[in-house]
Every structure is written in structure tokens, then in C-alpha cells.
């Protein structure tokens, strides 16, 4: 193992989004290079399964600043990153512990920060803290109108979208046609439940699937799921860190429109019914979902429209995938940015080009 190496910090709330992006990038770095990922406990199993050296931090209370936790996490990063010469932060906002660490870290400092922030969101404080980084790397969206829709930072470099490329060989498989005894495979991934309680939505999906013998429903459950799995014959509840695998094995995906899951659906050419999540700190999921709907790749159901959701599921089950498959075949997607970010991390000079 070479001396030096790269330490990462993936700041997550209750999901895996930032940790997934870090894993997708770090997996392309030469194995001879030492790597360590700082993260909250919720991401430790996922990153450990991917084979990374993980250093857990103490989670912050939602919506609150705890100075004791900030000080503790600063100490853990300062001690754990000794001997590393590169630091990569993936998160929306560098908290005080991160800024304190950056000020005493002598190596290269890169901030991977996706865009598509809403116009009403105040980016002034993140911009003020960007000065502690040598470079801001912005992973792109899959559709050009979504790039540059919010204000850019100085020292910013834009690259292609970051996506899970683990199953690259299966990417261009022909869509399977339901019928002739083959059940339609529906996958629902409704989130952890911390942003929005979607148990009523999940219940409606399960009940709809119970009425159809040609459907098999798999649902990725979160810590807030309260439904009893034994109630349903046509639904299987699973807990997994590999949602991409399930997306590949499905015919249609019902999900929010977060960066990673949206990217999986587009990259692996899976039609989706998007249920965008809304919160002050989230990116513009509705705009992202609309871009796919306008291209005939997905349906968009507004928050609370359960009847509209069931109608969209029924339309897919009755009409099949042909129209979606044709739209995907005509689609030209940008090259993923995973490898370019990995190259940037390993470059000797951190300068935008």
C-alpha cells in the first residue's frame, strides 16, 4: 500500500445517498492507494460490504447543532486522517467540525457537491465555506436542462453524472415482456420514512398488487415501515443496501427522484413512477422527475395523489413496457463522471480546467 492516500467524508441524513456516491468513485481508485471513509453509523454496513475501511462518526440530531458532537467528530477526523494527503468531502454543507478539520489538514481538499438546488434555497453560507477547499467538483445530471439550473461556485469543475456501474454488463439487456405466465415485477423504494411517512402509499400499492395475479411486488423497507409483511401474498418486504440490483431485476420502479436512484433508473433503462420528495434541504426532485416524464421514460405522481399512483401502476401493468423501451432506445445519455472524479482526486494539481 502506498503512503499517503485519500480520506473521504460522506455526510448523510437517514439514507445512503452521499455514501453511495463516494463508494462509486472510490471503487475506481487503484487498490494500492490507501483509502478511508468517515461516515455516520447508518452507512457503515453498506460501506463495509463494499470492502472499504470505515471510520464511524457520531450522528447529528436532525435540524440541530450540538457543539459537543461537532467537537467529537472533529477529533475523530483529525486523528483518523493522520498520514493521508487527500481529503474528499461529499455533502451539501460543511458543518463546523468539517471546517475545523479542513483548516488543520495540510493535504489537498476536494468537495464533491451535486447541484439542482432550488431557487428558494440560500447557498450563501455553503459558498462562504467553499474557500476551505481547493476544488469543487460538481457531478452532473442526466439531462442537460438540469445542469446549471442553480448558481455555480468558484473553483468549480463539472463532470458527468455519478452512477453505480457495478452491473455495467447488464445495462443493455432487452426489457422482458410480461405475459405468457411471467409476472410483472414491481419494485417500490419509498425511502427511509424520516422525510415523509409513506406507509399509506405503500399500503395502497400492496393492496393493489393483491388484486392482480399477474404481479409480483418487492418493496425495500425502511426503519419507519409499519406494515405487516404476512398480510400480503403478492408483496415481499426486503431490507437491502443494493437497490441497484433490485432495479435491474424489476420491470418498473416506484420511487422518489433522488440523485442516485434516478440515475440508476436512467442508466439501466428502467421505467419508473416517480414520487418526488419535498423538504427545505432537498434538491429539486420534482424538476428531475419531470425531465424524465417529458421524455417518455417515466411517470410523475404528485405528493398525496394515491389514486393517480394506482392509475399509473395499472396503466403500466395493462400496456407493458414497449413505449418506455422505445423512448430509452432513442435516448443519448452522457458518459458517467465516476472515473473522471477518481482521476481528479489522484491528480497532482487541484485546478479547474
Amino acid at each position: 500500500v502506498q503512503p499517503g492516500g485519500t480520506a473521504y467524508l460522506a455526510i448523510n441524513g437517514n439514507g445512503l445517498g452521499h455514501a453511495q456516491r463516494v463508494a462509486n468513485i472510490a471503487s475506481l481508485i487503484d487498490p494500492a492507494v490507501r483509502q478511508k471513509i468517515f461516515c455516520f453509523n447508518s452507512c457503515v454496513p453498506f460501506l463495509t460490504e463494499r470492502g472499504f475501511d470505515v471510520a464511524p462518526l457520531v450522528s447529528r440530531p436532525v435540524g440541530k447543532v450540538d457543539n459537543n458532537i461537532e467537537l467529537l467528530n472533529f477529533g475523530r477526523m483529525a486523528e483518523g486522517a493522520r498520514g493521508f494527503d487527500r481529503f474528499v468531502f461529499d455533502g451539501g454543507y460543511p458543518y463546523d467540525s468539517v471546517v475545523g478539520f479542513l483548516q488543520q489538514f495540510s493535504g489537498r481538499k476536494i468537495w464533491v457537491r451535486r447541484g439542482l438546488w432550488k431557487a428558494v434555497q440560500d447557498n450563501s453560507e455553503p459558498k462562504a465555506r467553499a474557500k476551505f477547499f481547493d476544488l469543487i467538483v460538481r457531478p452532473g445530471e442526466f439531462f442537460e436542462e438540469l445542469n446549471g439550473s442553480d448558481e455555480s461556485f468558484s473553483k468549480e469543475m463539472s463532470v458527468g453524472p455519478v452512477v453505480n456501474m457495478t452491473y455495467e454488463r447488464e445495462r443493455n439487456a432487452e426489457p422482458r415482456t410480461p405475459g405468457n405466465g411471467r409476472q410483472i415485477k414491481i419494485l417500490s423504494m419509498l425511502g427511509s420514512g424520516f422525510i415523509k411517512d409513506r406507509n399509506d402509499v405503500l399500503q395502497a400499492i400492496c393492496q393493489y398488487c393483491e388484486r392482480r395475479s399477474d404481479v409480483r411486488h418487492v418493496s425495500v423497507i425502511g426503519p419507519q415501515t409499519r406494515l405487516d409483511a404476512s398480510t400480503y401474498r403478492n408483496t415481499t418486504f426486503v431490507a437491502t443496501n443494493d437497490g441497484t440490483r433490485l432495479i435491474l431485476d424489476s420491470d418498473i420502479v416506484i420511487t422518489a427522484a433522488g440523485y442516485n436512484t434516478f440515475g440508476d433508473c436512467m442508466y439501466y433503462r428502467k421505467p419508473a413512477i416517480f414520487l418526488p420528495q419535498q423538504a427545505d434541504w432537498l434538491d429539486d426532485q420534482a424538476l428531475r422527475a419531470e425531465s424524465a416524464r417529458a421524455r417518455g421514460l417515466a411517470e410523475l405522481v404528485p405528493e398525496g395523489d394515491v389514486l393517480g399512483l394506482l392509475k399509473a401502476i395499472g396503466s403500466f401493468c395493462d400496456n407493458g413496457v414497449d413505449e418506455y423501451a422505445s423512448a430509452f432506445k432513442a435516448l443519448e445519455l452522457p458518459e458517467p463522471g465516476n472515473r473522471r472524479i477518481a482521476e481528479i482526486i489522484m491528480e497532482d494539481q487541484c485546478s479547474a480546467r
Side-chain angles (χ1 to χ4, degrees):
V1 176
Q2 297 176 359
T6 304
Y8 303 82
L9 171 58
I11 290 283
N12 271 69
N14 297 293
L16 295 173
H18 296 285
Q20 287 174 333
R21 192 156 47 243
V22 165
N24 292 336
I25 297 165
S27 62
L28 297 176
I29 300 288
D30 185 340
V33 176
R34 186 167 62 127
Q35 298 190 99
K36 176 185 285 189
I37 302 177
F38 295 96
C39 66
F40 295 144
N41 283 329
S42 59
C43 301
V44 170
F46 164 72
L47 292 168
T48 302
E49 287 172 13
R50 293 286 296 265
F52 293 107
D53 180 16
V54 178
L57 301 178
V58 180
S59 298
R60 302 172 63 256
V62 177
K64 296 181 180 179
V65 176
D66 187 314
N67 291 330
N68 291 326
I69 290 178
E70 292 296 308
L71 186 59
L72 179 59
N73 285 338
F74 162 77
R76 289 190 178 185
M77 287 189 290
E79 180 63 28
R82 288 183 185 275
F84 288 86
D85 54 16
R86 291 175 295 274
F87 178 75
V88 178
F89 171 65
D90 191 305
Y93 179 76
Y95 294 104
D96 290 348
S97 57
V98 181
V99 170
F101 170 79
L102 292 170
Q103 289 178 305
Q104 61 84 51
F105 184 75
S106 59
R108 294 173 52 207
K109 292 160 279 198
I110 301 172
W111 185 359
V112 178
R113 188 179 195 263
R114 55 133 179 85
L116 204 61
W117 300 98
K118 301 170 192 166
V120 297
Q121 290 169 318
D122 183 6
N123 265 326
S124 59
E125 188 60 27
K127 282 192 170 186
R129 297 187 172 210
K131 66 185 178 183
F132 297 107
F133 294 91
D134 298 307
L135 178 66
I136 317 295
V137 179
R138 177 170 172 160
E141 297 281 339
F142 271 96
F143 304 122
E144 188 55 41
E145 70 268 20
L146 301 177
N147 292 316
S149 59
D150 55 352
E151 223 175 334
S152 297
F153 283 28
S154 61
K155 302 184 294 184
E156 182 176 281
M157 174 188 291
S158 296
V159 299
V162 174
V163 67
N164 185 352
M165 300 171 66
T166 305
Y167 304 105
E168 179 74 15
R169 293 183 179 180
E170 302 177 50
R171 184 182 173 212
N172 294 316
E174 287 295 320
R176 297 162 297 192
T177 303
N180 299 321
R182 195 185 80 77
Q183 288 184 307
I184 301 164
K185 294 183 178 180
I186 298 175
L187 171 66
S188 64
M189 305 171 68
L190 302 182
S192 64
F194 288 101
I195 296 174
K196 175 70 176 178
D197 186 333
R198 286 182 157 173
N199 279 281
D200 57 336
V201 177
L202 178 56
Q203 184 177 34
I205 297 170
C206 293
Q207 290 176 344
Y208 176 86
C209 293
E210 287 298 289
R211 301 196 295 269
R212 298 193 64 134
S213 60
D214 60 342
V215 163
R216 187 65 194 168
H217 173 220
V218 174
S219 182
V220 178
I221 60 172
Q224 303 296 311
T225 303
R226 297 190 301 272
L227 275 65
D228 182 359
S230 64
T231 307
Y232 306 104
R233 297 167 300 168
N234 282 352
T235 294
T236 301
F237 290 167
V238 298
T240 181
N241 290 323
D242 192 358
T244 308
R245 177 71 266 172
L246 294 178
I247 288 173
L248 275 163
D249 292 338
S250 68
D251 295 310
I252 190 166
V253 184
I254 305 170
T255 180
Y259 185 93
N260 292 300
T261 305
F262 181 90
D264 282 348
C265 291
M266 297 301 103
Y267 192 68
Y268 290 105
R269 304 177 187 276
K270 289 293 178 179
I273 300 173
F274 288 121
L275 313 175
Q277 297 201 94
Q278 304 287 340
D280 292 342
W281 64 89
L282 289 178
D283 50 351
D284 197 337
Q285 293 193 9
L287 188 61
R288 187 179 286 130
E290 172 57 27
S291 69
R293 187 209 62 78
R295 289 170 168 81
L297 310 171
E299 303 299 331
L300 191 165
V301 177
E303 185 69 57
D305 188 3
V306 177
L307 290 179
L309 169 61
L310 298 182
K311 182 180 178 181
I313 298 172
S315 176
F316 174 85
C317 292
D318 294 335
N319 300 322
V321 301
D322 290 349
E323 289 189 11
Y324 299 103
S326 297
F328 272 114
K329 282 185 178 179
L331 186 67
E332 290 188 15
L333 293 174
E335 283 294 312
N338 307 32
R339 192 167 298 282
R340 182 65 190 117
I341 298 179
E343 292 171 350
I344 291 169
I345 292 171
M346 297 308 298
E347 283 175 357
D348 290 333
Q349 297 297 322
C350 207
S351 57
R353 297 175 185 175

